[in-house]
Structure formats: structure tokens, C-alpha cells
Amino acid sequence: MGFRYAEEKDIQIIRELWMYSFNEDASSTDYYFENRYSKDYNALWDEEEIKASLQLNPYTLSIKGKKEKTSYVVGISVYPEHRGKKLTTKLLKASLLDLIERGGAISLLMPIDTDIYRRYGYENCFDMEVYNLSIRDIKIRKDRAEKTKRVREITKQDIKDIQNIYSSASKNWDNYIERDEDYFKELFKEVKSEAGEIFISYDKDEGATGYMIFYPKFEGGSKGFVREMFYKNSSSLNTFLSIIKSHRTQFKDVEICQEKDSYLKDFWGYDNKIKVNIKPFMMARIINPALFLNNMGIKNKIPLKMKIIDSFLDINNKAFIISENDVIESNDENNIDFIIDIGSLTQIALGYIGIENAVFTEKIVFLEPEKKENIVSALKEIFPNTKSFINDYI
């Protein structure tokens, strides 16, 4: 049989495969299968018995103001006795082809190992800043603390406040996941199932000014973990740092995740005792180039012809013309202006890497060197650098 979607009768065996493949405790697994699992988005490789599974969780991705329905690939798992048979390749390819048939244009994936998924055309497209430091090195300003609330049972007002804070933060981003009221309801359940906490800060005049998702017993209680922290002002940031520092008798170190180019380094004054790393977080790949680029409104005054190399999805291995009206497929591969692989095109289209970077690293190949300067100039206008943020786990 091969590729199919799950049915109600399959849930127990899928759950067993999930538990076997991932190092999760029972409460996290219970949360996922009770709240996030849907057979409509669970793809299987079934040859008289289920051998492999993956989830295609639906999200709405905002790309430069345009809404794009996408599927977030999670939970890729193969039973041990069937590993080494390229079932991941078969299942993922069948899933992406099915998504294309259903009108999909782009796919997201959070990798365990980027090299594994690069072979399928995925590339890093979303990063974050990760701070690792000792509790004693957290700097706070005691005169600027705000009122805070630890959310025990989330209310409609809490959701509204958190949603407004996220919306305020997302105004600074070009590409991000849309989060509605239902998203935050589920997020609260997810965090609670993992022994995490959500704090909201308030100003007497402005109302809610920030929220923090905090795990005080991360890695078995050896450190604290801030999964997400958004703040409208320095007082809100100071408040959350004060809360973290108040746990100094419970753990010595903390890890804090932030959007790239956050205010945290400036707030602390670039302390050399604090380690700051850029963490590649999410990979992406365009699965339908013409549809995706047209949805983004890509066009050019003078037609450019590009050849896309997609070694995983052969249907994309062809020429495309970027014209003054739209992007269209072309059966004629003569007079190609440049060649680019699908992963690099995804990075450029999402603004993760600039055109100059792509040229220097030879991600773009020019067939006629004398045209290179004009093509580069055009591509810079078509694909400007952008700011992105994604911090969604399942």
C-alpha cells in the first residue's frame, strides 16, 4: 500500500511508535495525543503493517504580510526493524507531493540533525539567540519592577493579553507564525504538561506589557529555561529577570531564548561572562515554487529565467520565468540567467540570506558572467533581507 493517512484504529500503534522514538515523559505524550494529534494530518507508510509515521501539523505562516498555509513536519519515526530501508525518504516525499496536490507551497521542519534534512531540500531559515549564564550574572534594576501574574488557570483576558503582546512583537518581523486564541489555549496546556510556567507583567497605565514562558525544572532541575520572553518596555524585561533570579536557591544556571537582535545584550551591557549563541531553529523548503513566489507577489520588470535544482522533488526540477506580472514554469531551458537549488531559493525568498551572501557562497550560478551584475541588482530588489522569528515546537 505504501503512503496513506491514519485512521482512528491506528492511534495506539502510532502512539507506541512515538513513545519508542522520542525521549518524552508520559505527560508530554498524553498532551500531544489528547490535544494536538489529528489523524487527518498523520501520514503513514503501511505495507501490511505500519512501518513509519510523520505528522503534518497545519500552521499559518505570515510572510512579508502575506498569509501562507503551511505544514510543519514533526514526529518522523520508523520502527527499528524497518530502519535503513529509506522509509523516511519514501514517506516524506509522498507527503510533500500530496501537500502540493492540496495546494501547499512551503513546508517547515524542526530538525534533530540539519544534515539529514538538507538532502530533502530543507535549509535553515529561522534562528534565535540563546543566552547561557549563571543566575548570579543576571543584572536587574530593582526600581523598575512591574506587577506580575503567574498564570495558573488561563482566562480569556490572559489569552487576550498574551495575544496582544505577541502581536506587538510580531510587528517587528517580516516572517512568523500566526497565533490565534486557540493557539494560546493549546500553548498553555502544552507548557503545563511539561511543568512550565507562564508569567504576565502589567503596567498600571498600559495594562499587560509582556509575558514569559519559563521552565524552573529544566534538564531534571539542573538549570532554568526561558522558552519565550516578550516585553514592551525595559520594566517588563527587568521584572522577568527578577523572577528568574529569585530561583537562585533552586538552580545555578539558566538558558534564555530570544529573537535575533533582541534588547537583552544592550540591557546587560555586553557582559563577557554571558555566552550568547545563534541557534538555527527551523528549516523550510519551498514545495511549489511558482505558487509560493506568486503568493509573495514576486515579479521583475525585465524577465529573468532561473533553473531550479530540486533533487528530491523532480517536479520542481525545471526552468521558471520571473516576469513583470508573475512567476511561471517554462519548458524551454535555453537562455537560463541563473541556476539555484531549492533550499537556497527558500533561504533567499524568506530573506534568511542576502543576495550578496548567496553569490559569494556560490548558491547562485550565473551562466553568462557578463550579465551577472544586472541579475544581482535585480535579485536584490526582488528578494530583500528580512527579519524572522519562529519558536513553535509541535
Side-chain angles (χ1 to χ4, degrees), residues 322-352:
I322 305 173
S323 73
E324 61 181 347
N325 297 313
D326 53 17
V327 177
I328 59 172
E329 296 180 10
S330 173
N331 293 322
D332 178 11
E333 295 197 5
N334 293 313
N335 302 313
I336 298 292
D337 290 304
F338 65 95
I339 300 173
I340 188 168
D341 68 81
I342 194 69
S344 299
L345 177 63
T346 305
Q347 290 182 311
I348 291 167
L350 291 175
Y352 181 75

Side-chain angles (χ1 to χ4, degrees), residues 293-312:
L293 296 174
N294 282 320
N295 286 350
M296 288 180 60
I298 296 299
K299 57 187 67 175
N300 192 50
K301 295 176 183 178
I302 301 173
L304 283 177
K305 185 182 282 190
M306 65 177 171
K307 171 68 187 298
I308 294 177
I309 304 298
D310 191 337
S311 58
F312 189 59

